[in-house]
Amino acid sequence: MQKGILEQYLTKKIPSDSKFSYPEVKNAIEVLLNHNSGYPWVNEFEKKFADKMGMNYAIACNSGTSGLHAALYAVGIKEGDEVIIPALTVIMDAYAVIHHGGIPVFADVDEDTHLVTAEEIEKKITPKTKAIITVAWDGISCDMDPIMALAKKNNLKVIDDCARSILSTYNNRLVGTIADISVFSFESKKHLSAGGEGGVIVSNDEILATNARKFAGIGYKHMTADAGRTHLAISTVQDPNYKRFDTVGVNYRMNDITAAIATGQLERIDEIVSKRQKIGKMFLDATAGYDWFIPQKIPKNCTHSYYTFSVDYKGFEKFGVRWKEFYDRYQDSGGDGFYAIVAIPYTEPALLGKTFGSTKCLPGLCPVSEGLQERVMCFKTNYRDLAEAQQKIDTLVNLLRSF
């Protein structure tokens, strides 16, 4: 950090374009200067996050992917079990299933909302199905009530991947509070960033929370749903006959600096999400009226937290202008680029051509998802300066009008 900036942070004179503000920096410095204090940063973050979400339990992890892996363990996924996931998602949802020996089963999504539906999930249920992963894609919840009813009818557990959707709502409930167990990510581009990587699992089910914590915490037998450890007399553990582990786990625990930064971000999360929502609405209003530039549909019972402003671009069909040509013209005009949707998991080299259960990973499995992946444009909403966001939006509007 350049000379003088640290002093600005510590006196609350925050640079306007800073990603991290006073609480995050102060907390991180306190960890470094008092690293032997034993202050429970991780436990504090877990409690505050659970309180914010209105949930009983929160288990902090070192990434959202770790959280998915632990959540699948918590619901009992074993070798040969099928887990239904949307085709339009990141590959990590499939990876987490595969690492447990499970079989990822890909369901197609709705073309307007870009979200998996109960109808598409039901088509994929077999006697081997044990769980469903829903994905609140880009800031909007799936239609969870029918999905939860379907899961209950078939004795399935639901894991909600909320990596991109903190503080979104569905039927006046926060996203992440409806499924049996849910996972958030704090990677650097997410709404709440913990300085690089981080994640958290939430649940109201004590058994699921305990299972997840033990798996993510190396399998310590005294871990509980609501704490990283129980308080044992030192004479109990200082004994050659003391046995520590009753679960085959992994070390996915969050560290204190990550927890300290995440705690600071959590203090500002309403402000952070509100700004993204303002920018998303600015994009939405400015680009309305084009039948070939179609925004992700927001169901009436949902609020959007705008991880990105996503549109289904059909300019090639209408004007013969390909996705990449539009991208180049936008960037050449002063835009700062935008993102494509990540490749459909089963088309990635890591999975392409492999067989899981009765399904071979080849293009054609989920045509709606594959079509959207080729067309959708995801515009940034994480500008910290509304004037800069407006400039990029104006550039986009000028480009749209030129067609």
PDB file of all heavy atoms in Angstrom, residues 309-333:
ATOM      1  N   PHE A 309     -25.570  -7.474 -15.171  1.00  0.00           N
ATOM      2  CA  PHE A 309     -26.744  -7.179 -15.985  1.00  0.00           C
ATOM      3  C   PHE A 309     -26.621  -8.056 -17.224  1.00  0.00           C
ATOM      4  O   PHE A 309     -25.762  -7.832 -18.077  1.00  0.00           O
ATOM      5  CB  PHE A 309     -26.794  -5.701 -16.363  1.00  0.00           C
ATOM      6  CG  PHE A 309     -27.884  -5.373 -17.346  1.00  0.00           C
ATOM      7  CD1 PHE A 309     -29.216  -5.407 -16.962  1.00  0.00           C
ATOM      8  CD2 PHE A 309     -27.587  -5.047 -18.663  1.00  0.00           C
ATOM      9  CE1 PHE A 309     -30.232  -5.121 -17.867  1.00  0.00           C
ATOM     10  CE2 PHE A 309     -28.592  -4.750 -19.577  1.00  0.00           C
ATOM     11  CZ  PHE A 309     -29.918  -4.795 -19.179  1.00  0.00           C
ATOM     12  N   SER A 310     -27.474  -9.084 -17.307  1.00  0.00           N
ATOM     13  CA  SER A 310     -27.332 -10.088 -18.355  1.00  0.00           C
ATOM     14  C   SER A 310     -28.432  -9.942 -19.395  1.00  0.00           C
ATOM     15  O   SER A 310     -29.599  -9.778 -19.046  1.00  0.00           O
ATOM     16  CB  SER A 310     -27.389 -11.494 -17.754  1.00  0.00           C
ATOM     17  OG  SER A 310     -26.284 -11.716 -16.909  1.00  0.00           O
ATOM     18  N   VAL A 311     -28.039 -10.020 -20.655  1.00  0.00           N
ATOM     19  CA  VAL A 311     -29.004  -9.910 -21.746  1.00  0.00           C
ATOM     20  C   VAL A 311     -28.789 -11.029 -22.756  1.00  0.00           C
ATOM     21  O   VAL A 311     -27.659 -11.471 -22.993  1.00  0.00           O
ATOM     22  CB  VAL A 311     -28.903  -8.546 -22.471  1.00  0.00           C
ATOM     23  CG1 VAL A 311     -29.251  -7.404 -21.543  1.00  0.00           C
ATOM     24  CG2 VAL A 311     -27.525  -8.346 -23.081  1.00  0.00           C
ATOM     25  N   ASP A 312     -29.884 -11.471 -23.326  1.00  0.00           N
ATOM     26  CA  ASP A 312     -29.857 -12.451 -24.408  1.00  0.00           C
ATOM     27  C   ASP A 312     -29.707 -11.664 -25.711  1.00  0.00           C
ATOM     28  O   ASP A 312     -30.640 -11.003 -26.174  1.00  0.00           O
ATOM     29  CB  ASP A 312     -31.152 -13.260 -24.392  1.00  0.00           C
ATOM     30  CG  ASP A 312     -31.149 -14.409 -25.390  1.00  0.00           C
ATOM     31  OD1 ASP A 312     -30.191 -14.513 -26.183  1.00  0.00           O
ATOM     32  OD2 ASP A 312     -32.124 -15.184 -25.389  1.00  0.00           O
ATOM     33  N   TYR A 313     -28.517 -11.724 -26.291  1.00  0.00           N
ATOM     34  CA  TYR A 313     -28.194 -10.949 -27.490  1.00  0.00           C
ATOM     35  C   TYR A 313     -28.568 -11.740 -28.742  1.00  0.00           C
ATOM     36  O   TYR A 313     -28.043 -12.827 -28.988  1.00  0.00           O
ATOM     37  CB  TYR A 313     -26.696 -10.628 -27.500  1.00  0.00           C
ATOM     38  CG  TYR A 313     -26.202 -10.033 -28.800  1.00  0.00           C
ATOM     39  CD1 TYR A 313     -26.506  -8.724 -29.142  1.00  0.00           C
ATOM     40  CD2 TYR A 313     -25.450 -10.793 -29.694  1.00  0.00           C
ATOM     41  CE1 TYR A 313     -26.064  -8.178 -30.350  1.00  0.00           C
ATOM     42  CE2 TYR A 313     -24.999 -10.259 -30.893  1.00  0.00           C
ATOM     43  CZ  TYR A 313     -25.312  -8.952 -31.211  1.00  0.00           C
ATOM     44  OH  TYR A 313     -24.882  -8.411 -32.407  1.00  0.00           O
ATOM     45  N   LYS A 314     -29.501 -11.190 -29.526  1.00  0.00           N
ATOM     46  CA  LYS A 314     -29.931 -11.841 -30.755  1.00  0.00           C
ATOM     47  C   LYS A 314     -29.629 -10.972 -31.975  1.00  0.00           C
ATOM     48  O   LYS A 314     -30.338 -11.004 -32.979  1.00  0.00           O
ATOM     49  CB  LYS A 314     -31.412 -12.184 -30.670  1.00  0.00           C
ATOM     50  CG  LYS A 314     -31.713 -13.214 -29.575  1.00  0.00           C
ATOM     51  CD  LYS A 314     -33.148 -13.674 -29.573  1.00  0.00           C
ATOM     52  CE  LYS A 314     -33.357 -14.762 -28.522  1.00  0.00           C
ATOM     53  NZ  LYS A 314     -34.759 -15.247 -28.507  1.00  0.00           N
ATOM     54  N   GLY A 315     -28.554 -10.200 -31.867  1.00  0.00           N
ATOM     55  CA  GLY A 315     -28.152  -9.320 -32.953  1.00  0.00           C
ATOM     56  C   GLY A 315     -27.637 -10.053 -34.174  1.00  0.00           C
ATOM     57  O   GLY A 315     -27.710  -9.522 -35.293  1.00  0.00           O
ATOM     58  N   PHE A 316     -27.128 -11.261 -33.985  1.00  0.00           N
ATOM     59  CA  PHE A 316     -26.651 -12.000 -35.159  1.00  0.00           C
ATOM     60  C   PHE A 316     -27.827 -12.403 -36.043  1.00  0.00           C
ATOM     61  O   PHE A 316     -27.777 -12.252 -37.269  1.00  0.00           O
ATOM     62  CB  PHE A 316     -25.859 -13.239 -34.736  1.00  0.00           C
ATOM     63  CG  PHE A 316     -25.377 -14.057 -35.898  1.00  0.00           C
ATOM     64  CD1 PHE A 316     -24.407 -13.559 -36.760  1.00  0.00           C
ATOM     65  CD2 PHE A 316     -25.903 -15.317 -36.149  1.00  0.00           C
ATOM     66  CE1 PHE A 316     -23.965 -14.305 -37.848  1.00  0.00           C
ATOM     67  CE2 PHE A 316     -25.472 -16.064 -37.233  1.00  0.00           C
ATOM     68  CZ  PHE A 316     -24.497 -15.559 -38.081  1.00  0.00           C
ATOM     69  N   GLU A 317     -28.903 -12.902 -35.407  1.00  0.00           N
ATOM     70  CA  GLU A 317     -30.079 -13.290 -36.168  1.00  0.00           C
ATOM     71  C   GLU A 317     -30.705 -12.085 -36.872  1.00  0.00           C
ATOM     72  O   GLU A 317     -31.190 -12.201 -37.999  1.00  0.00           O
ATOM     73  CB  GLU A 317     -31.125 -13.943 -35.249  1.00  0.00           C
ATOM     74  CG  GLU A 317     -30.694 -15.281 -34.662  1.00  0.00           C
ATOM     75  CD  GLU A 317     -30.002 -15.144 -33.339  1.00  0.00           C
ATOM     76  OE1 GLU A 317     -29.330 -14.106 -33.116  1.00  0.00           O
ATOM     77  OE2 GLU A 317     -30.113 -16.079 -32.528  1.00  0.00           O
ATOM     78  N   LYS A 318     -30.676 -10.925 -36.222  1.00  0.00           N
ATOM     79  CA  LYS A 318     -31.356  -9.747 -36.764  1.00  0.00           C
ATOM     80  C   LYS A 318     -30.490  -8.950 -37.735  1.00  0.00           C
ATOM     81  O   LYS A 318     -30.966  -8.446 -38.757  1.00  0.00           O
ATOM     82  CB  LYS A 318     -31.810  -8.850 -35.614  1.00  0.00           C
ATOM     83  CG  LYS A 318     -32.643  -7.664 -36.060  1.00  0.00           C
ATOM     84  CD  LYS A 318     -33.759  -7.397 -35.092  1.00  0.00           C
ATOM     85  CE  LYS A 318     -34.681  -6.322 -35.626  1.00  0.00           C
ATOM     86  NZ  LYS A 318     -35.955  -6.276 -34.925  1.00  0.00           N
ATOM     87  N   PHE A 319     -29.192  -8.804 -37.405  1.00  0.00           N
ATOM     88  CA  PHE A 319     -28.327  -7.919 -38.189  1.00  0.00           C
ATOM     89  C   PHE A 319     -27.106  -8.609 -38.775  1.00  0.00           C
ATOM     90  O   PHE A 319     -26.339  -7.993 -39.516  1.00  0.00           O
ATOM     91  CB  PHE A 319     -27.847  -6.744 -37.323  1.00  0.00           C
ATOM     92  CG  PHE A 319     -28.951  -5.945 -36.710  1.00  0.00           C
ATOM     93  CD1 PHE A 319     -29.201  -6.007 -35.345  1.00  0.00           C
ATOM     94  CD2 PHE A 319     -29.753  -5.110 -37.486  1.00  0.00           C
ATOM     95  CE1 PHE A 319     -30.216  -5.272 -34.764  1.00  0.00           C
ATOM     96  CE2 PHE A 319     -30.779  -4.367 -36.920  1.00  0.00           C
ATOM     97  CZ  PHE A 319     -31.007  -4.453 -35.559  1.00  0.00           C
ATOM     98  N   GLY A 320     -26.875  -9.855 -38.385  1.00  0.00           N
ATOM     99  CA  GLY A 320     -25.678 -10.543 -38.855  1.00  0.00           C
ATOM    100  C   GLY A 320     -24.422 -10.144 -38.109  1.00  0.00           C
ATOM    101  O   GLY A 320     -23.308 -10.428 -38.567  1.00  0.00           O
ATOM    102  N   VAL A 321     -24.584  -9.488 -36.948  1.00  0.00           N
ATOM    103  CA  VAL A 321     -23.433  -9.046 -36.145  1.00  0.00           C
ATOM    104  C   VAL A 321     -23.195 -10.070 -35.039  1.00  0.00           C
ATOM    105  O   VAL A 321     -24.030 -10.244 -34.142  1.00  0.00           O
ATOM    106  CB  VAL A 321     -23.688  -7.645 -35.538  1.00  0.00           C
ATOM    107  CG1 VAL A 321     -22.511  -7.242 -34.646  1.00  0.00           C
ATOM    108  CG2 VAL A 321     -23.905  -6.625 -36.645  1.00  0.00           C
ATOM    109  N   ARG A 322     -22.067 -10.730 -35.098  1.00  0.00           N
ATOM    110  CA  ARG A 322     -21.754 -11.768 -34.125  1.00  0.00           C
ATOM    111  C   ARG A 322     -21.432 -11.172 -32.758  1.00  0.00           C
ATOM    112  O   ARG A 322     -21.122  -9.999 -32.631  1.00  0.00           O
ATOM    113  CB  ARG A 322     -20.579 -12.624 -34.610  1.00  0.00           C
ATOM    114  CG  ARG A 322     -20.890 -13.391 -35.892  1.00  0.00           C
ATOM    115  CD  ARG A 322     -19.751 -14.322 -36.278  1.00  0.00           C
ATOM    116  NE  ARG A 322     -20.047 -15.018 -37.516  1.00  0.00           N
ATOM    117  CZ  ARG A 322     -20.798 -16.119 -37.604  1.00  0.00           C
ATOM    118  NH1 ARG A 322     -21.303 -16.657 -36.504  1.00  0.00           N
ATOM    119  NH2 ARG A 322     -21.026 -16.681 -38.782  1.00  0.00           N
ATOM    120  N   TRP A 323     -21.512 -12.050 -31.726  1.00  0.00           N
ATOM    121  CA  TRP A 323     -21.260 -11.668 -30.332  1.00  0.00           C
ATOM    122  C   TRP A 323     -19.928 -10.930 -30.215  1.00  0.00           C
ATOM    123  O   TRP A 323     -19.857  -9.854 -29.652  1.00  0.00           O
ATOM    124  CB  TRP A 323     -21.254 -12.940 -29.468  1.00  0.00           C
ATOM    125  CG  TRP A 323     -21.325 -12.751 -27.985  1.00  0.00           C
ATOM    126  CD1 TRP A 323     -22.411 -12.923 -27.189  1.00  0.00           C
ATOM    127  CD2 TRP A 323     -20.235 -12.407 -27.101  1.00  0.00           C
ATOM    128  NE1 TRP A 323     -22.088 -12.693 -25.869  1.00  0.00           N
ATOM    129  CE2 TRP A 323     -20.757 -12.377 -25.786  1.00  0.00           C
ATOM    130  CE3 TRP A 323     -18.891 -12.116 -27.288  1.00  0.00           C
ATOM    131  CZ2 TRP A 323     -19.972 -12.072 -24.673  1.00  0.00           C
ATOM    132  CZ3 TRP A 323     -18.107 -11.801 -26.178  1.00  0.00           C
ATOM    133  CH2 TRP A 323     -18.644 -11.779 -24.892  1.00  0.00           C
ATOM    134  N   LYS A 324     -18.881 -11.524 -30.756  1.00  0.00           N
ATOM    135  CA  LYS A 324     -17.537 -10.956 -30.590  1.00  0.00           C
ATOM    136  C   LYS A 324     -17.401  -9.637 -31.354  1.00  0.00           C
ATOM    137  O   LYS A 324     -16.662  -8.734 -30.902  1.00  0.00           O
ATOM    138  CB  LYS A 324     -16.472 -11.959 -31.072  1.00  0.00           C
ATOM    139  CG  LYS A 324     -15.053 -11.597 -30.655  1.00  0.00           C
ATOM    140  CD  LYS A 324     -14.904 -11.586 -29.124  1.00  0.00           C
ATOM    141  CE  LYS A 324     -13.453 -11.491 -28.684  1.00  0.00           C
ATOM    142  NZ  LYS A 324     -12.848 -10.194 -29.018  1.00  0.00           N
ATOM    143  N   GLU A 325     -18.069  -9.504 -32.481  1.00  0.00           N
ATOM    144  CA  GLU A 325     -18.013  -8.238 -33.208  1.00  0.00           C
ATOM    145  C   GLU A 325     -18.675  -7.132 -32.389  1.00  0.00           C
ATOM    146  O   GLU A 325     -18.157  -6.017 -32.315  1.00  0.00           O
ATOM    147  CB  GLU A 325     -18.704  -8.364 -34.566  1.00  0.00           C
ATOM    148  CG  GLU A 325     -18.649  -7.075 -35.389  1.00  0.00           C
ATOM    149  CD  GLU A 325     -19.368  -7.187 -36.715  1.00  0.00           C
ATOM    150  OE1 GLU A 325     -19.698  -8.313 -37.130  1.00  0.00           O
ATOM    151  OE2 GLU A 325     -19.617  -6.120 -37.341  1.00  0.00           O
ATOM    152  N   PHE A 326     -19.813  -7.443 -31.756  1.00  0.00           N
ATOM    153  CA  PHE A 326     -20.474  -6.465 -30.893  1.00  0.00           C
ATOM    154  C   PHE A 326     -19.550  -6.084 -29.734  1.00  0.00           C
ATOM    155  O   PHE A 326     -19.403  -4.906 -29.397  1.00  0.00           O
ATOM    156  CB  PHE A 326     -21.791  -7.042 -30.366  1.00  0.00           C
ATOM    157  CG  PHE A 326     -22.638  -6.062 -29.600  1.00  0.00           C
ATOM    158  CD1 PHE A 326     -23.698  -5.409 -30.220  1.00  0.00           C
ATOM    159  CD2 PHE A 326     -22.389  -5.780 -28.262  1.00  0.00           C
ATOM    160  CE1 PHE A 326     -24.483  -4.497 -29.520  1.00  0.00           C
ATOM    161  CE2 PHE A 326     -23.158  -4.879 -27.554  1.00  0.00           C
ATOM    162  CZ  PHE A 326     -24.207  -4.233 -28.180  1.00  0.00           C
ATOM    163  N   TYR A 327     -18.924  -7.082 -29.143  1.00  0.00           N
ATOM    164  CA  TYR A 327     -17.977  -6.849 -28.040  1.00  0.00           C
ATOM    165  C   TYR A 327     -16.865  -5.901 -28.477  1.00  0.00           C
ATOM    166  O   TYR A 327     -16.542  -4.929 -27.779  1.00  0.00           O
ATOM    167  CB  TYR A 327     -17.397  -8.190 -27.588  1.00  0.00           C
ATOM    168  CG  TYR A 327     -16.313  -8.097 -26.542  1.00  0.00           C
ATOM    169  CD1 TYR A 327     -16.620  -8.201 -25.189  1.00  0.00           C
ATOM    170  CD2 TYR A 327     -14.978  -7.919 -26.903  1.00  0.00           C
ATOM    171  CE1 TYR A 327     -15.626  -8.118 -24.220  1.00  0.00           C
ATOM    172  CE2 TYR A 327     -13.980  -7.833 -25.948  1.00  0.00           C
ATOM    173  CZ  TYR A 327     -14.315  -7.936 -24.617  1.00  0.00           C
ATOM    174  OH  TYR A 327     -13.320  -7.852 -23.671  1.00  0.00           O
ATOM    175  N   ASP A 328     -16.264  -6.168 -29.628  1.00  0.00           N
ATOM    176  CA  ASP A 328     -15.156  -5.345 -30.117  1.00  0.00           C
ATOM    177  C   ASP A 328     -15.610  -3.905 -30.377  1.00  0.00           C
ATOM    178  O   ASP A 328     -14.895  -2.951 -30.045  1.00  0.00           O
ATOM    179  CB  ASP A 328     -14.562  -5.940 -31.388  1.00  0.00           C
ATOM    180  CG  ASP A 328     -13.827  -7.245 -31.131  1.00  0.00           C
ATOM    181  OD1 ASP A 328     -13.438  -7.497 -29.976  1.00  0.00           O
ATOM    182  OD2 ASP A 328     -13.641  -8.014 -32.104  1.00  0.00           O
ATOM    183  N   ARG A 329     -16.794  -3.752 -30.952  1.00  0.00           N
ATOM    184  CA  ARG A 329     -17.295  -2.410 -31.245  1.00  0.00           C
ATOM    185  C   ARG A 329     -17.587  -1.643 -29.957  1.00  0.00           C
ATOM    186  O   ARG A 329     -17.317  -0.443 -29.858  1.00  0.00           O
ATOM    187  CB  ARG A 329     -18.553  -2.505 -32.123  1.00  0.00           C
ATOM    188  CG  ARG A 329     -18.229  -2.925 -33.548  1.00  0.00           C
ATOM    189  CD  ARG A 329     -19.465  -3.216 -34.377  1.00  0.00           C
ATOM    190  NE  ARG A 329     -20.297  -2.028 -34.602  1.00  0.00           N
ATOM    191  CZ  ARG A 329     -21.345  -2.016 -35.404  1.00  0.00           C
ATOM    192  NH1 ARG A 329     -21.693  -3.120 -36.074  1.00  0.00           N
ATOM    193  NH2 ARG A 329     -22.056  -0.912 -35.571  1.00  0.00           N
ATOM    194  N   TYR A 330     -18.112  -2.331 -28.960  1.00  0.00           N
ATOM    195  CA  TYR A 330     -18.378  -1.687 -27.664  1.00  0.00           C
ATOM    196  C   TYR A 330     -17.073  -1.254 -27.005  1.00  0.00           C
ATOM    197  O   TYR A 330     -16.934  -0.121 -26.532  1.00  0.00           O
ATOM    198  CB  TYR A 330     -19.138  -2.656 -26.757  1.00  0.00           C
ATOM    199  CG  TYR A 330     -19.397  -2.149 -25.351  1.00  0.00           C
ATOM    200  CD1 TYR A 330     -20.161  -1.010 -25.136  1.00  0.00           C
ATOM    201  CD2 TYR A 330     -18.889  -2.824 -24.243  1.00  0.00           C
ATOM    202  CE1 TYR A 330     -20.412  -0.557 -23.847  1.00  0.00           C
ATOM    203  CE2 TYR A 330     -19.139  -2.381 -22.957  1.00  0.00           C
ATOM    204  CZ  TYR A 330     -19.897  -1.246 -22.764  1.00  0.00           C
ATOM    205  OH  TYR A 330     -20.130  -0.800 -21.491  1.00  0.00           O
ATOM    206  N   GLN A 331     -16.108  -2.129 -27.007  1.00  0.00           N
ATOM    207  CA  GLN A 331     -14.817  -1.810 -26.386  1.00  0.00           C
ATOM    208  C   GLN A 331     -14.109  -0.689 -27.138  1.00  0.00           C
ATOM    209  O   GLN A 331     -13.540   0.225 -26.521  1.00  0.00           O
ATOM    210  CB  GLN A 331     -13.953  -3.057 -26.320  1.00  0.00           C
ATOM    211  CG  GLN A 331     -12.778  -2.949 -25.366  1.00  0.00           C
ATOM    212  CD  GLN A 331     -12.131  -4.292 -25.114  1.00  0.00           C
ATOM    213  OE1 GLN A 331     -11.871  -5.044 -26.043  1.00  0.00           O
ATOM    214  NE2 GLN A 331     -11.861  -4.591 -23.852  1.00  0.00           N
ATOM    215  N   ASP A 332     -14.146  -0.727 -28.467  1.00  0.00           N
ATOM    216  CA  ASP A 332     -13.507   0.312 -29.272  1.00  0.00           C
ATOM    217  C   ASP A 332     -14.168   1.675 -29.070  1.00  0.00           C
ATOM    218  O   ASP A 332     -13.530   2.715 -29.259  1.00  0.00           O
ATOM    219  CB  ASP A 332     -13.556  -0.055 -30.761  1.00  0.00           C
ATOM    220  CG  ASP A 332     -12.658  -1.228 -31.106  1.00  0.00           C
ATOM    221  OD1 ASP A 332     -11.796  -1.578 -30.276  1.00  0.00           O
ATOM    222  OD2 ASP A 332     -12.842  -1.807 -32.195  1.00  0.00           O
ATOM    223  N   SER A 333     -15.448   1.670 -28.654  1.00  0.00           N
ATOM    224  CA  SER A 333     -16.185   2.922 -28.448  1.00  0.00           C
ATOM    225  C   SER A 333     -15.977   3.505 -27.057  1.00  0.00           C
ATOM    226  O   SER A 333     -16.495   4.583 -26.759  1.00  0.00           O
ATOM    227  CB  SER A 333     -17.683   2.684 -28.677  1.00  0.00           C
ATOM    228  OG  SER A 333     -17.932   2.229 -29.982  1.00  0.00           O
TER     229      SER A 333
END
